[in-house]
Amino acid sequence: MAIPLRTEAELEKIRIACKLASDILVMIEPHIKEGISTGELDRICHEYIEQVQGGIPANVGYHGFPKATCISLNDVVCHGIPSEDKILKKGDILNLDVTVIKDGYYGDNSKMYIVGETSVRSKLLCDVTQEALYVGIRAVKAGVRLNTIGKAIQQYVEKQGFSVVREYCGHGIGDEYHTEPQVLHYFGDDGGVILKPGMVFTIEPMVNAGKKEVRLMGDGWTVKTKDRSHSAQYEHELVVTEQGCEVMTIREEEEREGRITRIMINS
């Protein structure tokens, strides 16, 4: 398994792309409200990436995907296709996943949003999923097995009474959208990979309120929970360091909360 170790020159370019990607998630938040379509949200993001950031929306045309973002509503686990027909309603939860290319390098992240107020269970699902991402991030440092990340996430999520999706995982990223390693969000076979400084990848747990099983819809992209329970996802892109990691898509709101920092020193 050939896992790229990024040079400092590469990391500087990746940091720029990651900052653009994280800025999208902040920019779009005021627009996420009752009555707007997911298609309109996607259009706003698309135009912002191209016209304001001078970047390229990585998702457009990727294996035929038609939009700049993936917007996954309620029981959609991932890869939801934005549409003018999908109008946000009070109580909806949604994940917006966006990847920006800048100077040939990729920044990839996602977060959950709640339209108004939602059910106690769905709010808890979002909170647990965000913390599951942070649990995974706190497990990262040079010298540990890759599957340490998934083990920590799975143990935390299941203890909270939720389930981890198995079919989709985090991935290596840099000057390509998807590279090795595959980052499982449960305890599984990692091929014996030991984390090394310079490895860049995403952690992006998908957590279901019900059972872990999913189904692929007829459009070939949209993935839903099999039992129609709600699903949530959070994602960050990071680079492994000797003592922990650098979270390159971190947002200011997260740093203020203090649950993670850009430079993580992990025990």
Side-chain angles (χ1 to χ4, degrees), residues 38-47 49-50 56-71 78-84 86 97 99 177 218-222:
T38 60
E40 177 67 5
L41 293 173
D42 180 79
R43 183 191 63 77
I44 294 168
C45 292
H46 194 158
E47 291 181 356
I49 293 168
E50 291 186 336
I56 299 170
N59 288 331
V60 176
Y62 183 75
H63 293 300
F65 192 82
K67 297 293 184 176
T69 63
C70 298
I71 302 181
C78 61
H79 305 156
I81 302 174
S83 167
E84 300 302 331
K86 294 173 184 172
D97 190 337
T99 304
Y177 201 163
D219 60 22
W221 284 102
T222 306

Side-chain angles (χ1 to χ4, degrees), residues 8 12 15 57 77 104 111 134 165 209 220 240 252 260 264:
E8 185 56 36
E12 278 301 310
R15 289 184 185 104
V77 176
K111 68 168 286 190
Y134 297 160
V165 171
V240 179
E252 287 185 8
I260 59 169
M264 294 289 294

Side-chain angles (χ1 to χ4, degrees), residues 27-217:
M27 177 279 298
I28 199 62
E29 186 152 14
H31 299 278
I32 297 177
K33 53 190 176 183
E34 195 173 353
I36 196 169
S37 71
T38 60
E40 177 67 5
L41 293 173
D42 180 79
R43 183 191 63 77
I44 294 168
C45 292
H46 194 158
E47 291 181 356
Y48 193 84
I49 293 168
E50 291 186 336
Q51 298 176 16
V52 178
Q53 296 183 332
I56 299 170
N59 288 331
V60 176
Y62 183 75
H63 293 300
F65 192 82
K67 297 293 184 176
T69 63
C70 298
I71 302 181
S72 302
L73 271 172
N74 298 325
D75 64 336
V76 178
V77 176
C78 61
H79 305 156
I81 302 174
S83 167
E84 300 302 331
D85 297 328
K86 294 173 184 172
I87 308 298
L88 299 188
K89 304 185 298 297
K90 182 180 179 181
D92 283 342
I93 65 171
L94 65 146
N95 175 271
L96 193 147
D97 190 337
V98 63
T99 304
V100 177
I101 308 171
K102 184 70 172 181
D103 296 330
Y105 286 83
Y106 290 73
D108 185 7
N109 63 175
S110 80
K111 68 168 286 190
M112 295 299 296
Y113 303 87
I114 296 173
V115 182
E117 294 183 2
T118 192
S119 69
V120 172
R121 179 73 172 170
S122 291
K123 175 63 166 61
L124 180 61
L125 171 67
C126 294
D127 291 344
V128 166
T129 306
Q130 185 173 22
E131 182 60 23
L133 170 60
Y134 297 160
V135 165
I137 288 171
R138 295 184 199 117
V140 175
K141 69 174 181 177
V144 305
R145 283 280 295 268
L146 175 63
N147 63 10
T148 304
I149 299 169
K151 182 178 182 180
I153 290 172
Q154 181 182 5
Q155 287 180 339
Y156 171 74
V157 168
E158 292 179 353
K159 187 176 181 180
Q160 309 307 312
F162 297 105
S163 61
V164 179
V165 171
R166 303 296 201 267
E167 287 82 356
Y168 302 91
C169 61
H171 54 90
I173 188 169
D175 55 349
E176 296 179 62
Y177 201 163
H178 295 90
T179 67
E180 295 293 344
Q182 292 190 357
V183 183
L184 304 182
H185 304 117
Y186 60 95
F187 189 51
D189 182 12
D190 61 2
V193 173
I194 303 296
L195 298 184
K196 297 179 181 179
M199 289 182 177
V200 175
F201 51 79
T202 67
I203 302 177
E204 47 186 294
M206 294 161 225
V207 177
N208 295 345
K211 296 180 180 179
K212 66 180 183 297
E213 287 77 20
V214 301
R215 55 199 171 109
L216 179 64
M217 307 309 290

